[in-house]
Amino acid sequence: MGGAASLRVALTHVYGWPEVRRGAERYLHELAGALHEAGHQVSIIATAVTAHEGRERDVPVRYLRRRHVLTRRFGPLSDELAFGGQSFGRLALAKVDVWHAMGTADAAASCVLGTVRGVRSVYTDHGFPYRPSRQRRPDRRLHDLVVARVDRYVCVSNAAAQTLLDGYGRASEVRSGGVDVRRFTPSHSRDPSRALLFVGDAGEERKNLPLLRDAMVAMRQRGVRVHLWVAGPGDQRGVIGELPDSASDAVTLLGEVAPDDLVELYRRASVTVLPARAEAFGLALVESLACGTPVVALNQGGPLDIVQPGIGVLCDETAEDLARACEEALDLAAQHDIAERCRDAAMAWDWRTAIVPEMERIYGAG
């Protein structure tokens, strides 16, 4: 722990792994595991269809029965609102030093407990706290409370932090999720197909898979030898649609892939491409770099913190510019020392050596 005192940390999120498999749920459990490995006493509270107990990454998880309150007013956020009260009830008398919340309602509850008992309240916002959008949400008053009273508001990128500062005048900590560089490691060879790897929900419009499809088609039509691998949930076939003859054999749909199985895909791909707009962080980019594979992303949001010259390429949101960026990244992938350069860059997001020490500082350890 680098001299930091052992802390009792409660992590909360209305949804947990493996029921829900998104970035926030991965962050929840991977952070918990990394803190546990560093010697802290960590527990997780989440919800599920039925109440039960479990363990993820050697950390105890208490799954409360999912409830919904004030559904007419809060709609799809009604379970998050209920979870705020449920988590408060579980932690009101618990022996904890830090309550680190992942949702607005549980973060608001942590602020209340912090006032009553002096427990340090921490909230990680996994998106962009854009004020006009936030003010349209039914939980806007809870978010206002969090902005005003939480001890540490954490944003996952500098772009997200600037959004909070511009809209609310609140400064935040900037600390994203991480990657276990012991598991995500480079390979000695890449697939000969010169694959562009897309990792994300094909059905989520902002992930922009059609843009990458169009860029790949444009490259193939120019005679550039390239293949597209699509990994993740969603209707991949429906989004990809019909392809011209020049690209009909150039797409491999892999479906949803477990995080541990992604490692081999990152290693074998030539380039990982994240064409998403409004991306607050970009975990796939960091994981790819840890596996020695260069990256491409749009010139906006969280990827600005990650994609640097020599390890990746940024581009505008057009198929032609994305194709140009992919071709430049393919050239990077052919360089003899690219894996080492990518790997060195990824160390800034290693859970053990980079993320945990920062979280210990945010938590106020030692």
Side-chain angles (χ1 to χ4, degrees):
M1 288 190 303
S6 177
L7 293 170
R8 297 166 297 185
V9 182
L11 297 168
T12 61
H13 188 33
V14 64
Y15 305 116
W17 197 276
E19 180 191 3
V20 179
R21 299 169 180 260
R22 297 176 303 195
E25 288 73 28
R26 283 192 62 188
Y27 174 94
L28 172 74
H29 294 288
E30 291 184 5
L31 173 60
L35 290 169
H36 170 76
E37 186 177 343
H40 298 291
Q41 301 176 49
V42 188
S43 61
I44 294 174
I45 299 176
T47 70
V49 176
T50 59
H52 65 282
E53 295 182 359
R55 296 188 79 86
E56 290 287 338
R57 299 181 183 273
D58 207 29
V59 173
V61 186
R62 176 70 178 182
Y63 296 94
L64 308 176
R65 185 168 73 85
R66 189 167 302 135
R67 299 180 182 276
H68 298 264
V69 297
L70 301 176
T71 54
R72 300 184 77 180
R73 177 179 175 185
F74 286 89
L77 299 179
S78 64
D79 55 351
E80 295 187 30
L81 183 69
F83 180 63
Q86 290 175 289
S87 55
F88 184 87
R90 283 285 170 179
L91 293 175
L93 300 178
K95 295 179 179 179
V96 294
D97 302 305
V98 179
W99 181 347
H100 187 168
M102 307 295 155
T104 304
D106 47 320
S110 77
C111 294
V112 175
L113 187 61
T115 300
V116 174
R117 286 188 46 207
V119 173
R120 173 158 293 214
S121 57
V122 178
Y123 169 51
T124 291
D125 190 331
H126 291 275
F128 284 98
Y130 183 54
R131 183 161 190 159
S133 175
R134 275 286 188 173
Q135 291 302 304
R136 290 193 294 269
R137 287 175 44 151
D139 63 350
R140 60 187 177 277
R141 289 196 177 92
L142 292 177
H143 184 254
D144 289 343
L145 184 152
V146 173
V147 170
R149 294 176 55 181
V150 73
D151 291 323
R152 293 290 185 271
Y153 195 119
V154 181
C155 290
V156 295
S157 65
N158 284 296
Q162 190 62 50
T163 301
L164 181 71
L165 185 62
D166 291 345
Y168 291 93
R170 165 90 196 232
S172 63
E173 303 282 350
V174 179
R175 186 64 274 176
S176 64
V179 60
D180 186 348
V181 299
R182 296 169 299 182
R183 292 192 301 121
F184 289 80
T185 58
S187 173
H188 296 297
S189 62
R190 302 190 190 278
D191 193 276
S193 67
R194 300 176 84 213
L196 306 176
L197 173 62
F198 172 92
V199 178
D201 188 338
E204 188 175 349
E205 183 179 355
R206 71 172 190 84
K207 292 295 186 180
N208 244 342
L209 178 56
L211 183 70
L212 179 54
R213 173 204 61 203
D214 294 345
M216 183 274 297
V217 169
M219 295 167 69
R220 295 274 293 198
Q221 290 174 338
R222 290 202 297 266
V224 179
R225 183 172 58 86
V226 69
H227 203 94
L228 174 60
W229 294 348
V230 181
D235 180 11
Q236 297 176 347
R237 174 54 63 191
V239 173
I240 291 294
E242 293 296 322
L243 294 168
D245 291 341
S246 62
S248 60
D249 62 343
V251 178
T252 300
L253 305 180
L254 299 165
E256 191 162 2
V257 178
D260 288 346
D261 295 332
L262 278 174
V263 175
E264 191 61 25
L265 292 178
Y266 287 127
R267 290 170 175 167
R268 293 169 52 214
S270 292
V271 178
T272 297
V273 187
L274 182 66
R277 67 176 76 91
E279 188 73 15
F281 175 45
L283 179 60
L285 302 176
V286 173
E287 291 177 338
S288 178
L289 292 173
C291 292
T293 299
V295 294
V296 169
L298 298 188
N299 188 25
Q300 57 178 256
L304 294 175
D305 294 346
I306 302 169
V307 184
Q308 302 298 326
I311 60 169
V313 186
L314 294 167
C315 66
D316 295 332
E317 194 180 350
T318 68
E320 187 57 35
D321 204 42
L322 180 57
R324 184 267 316 164
C326 290
E327 291 180 32
E328 290 185 18
L330 286 169
D331 290 339
L332 286 176
Q335 296 178 2
H336 74 279
D337 62 343
I338 185 61
E340 181 180 355
R341 297 204 309 267
C342 290
R343 179 80 172 170
D344 287 345
M347 294 305 296
W349 288 274
D350 177 44
W351 278 115
R352 293 178 301 143
T353 61
I355 306 298
V356 165
E358 276 293 290
M359 294 312 303
E360 290 171 339
R361 178 187 61 79
I362 290 169
Y363 292 162

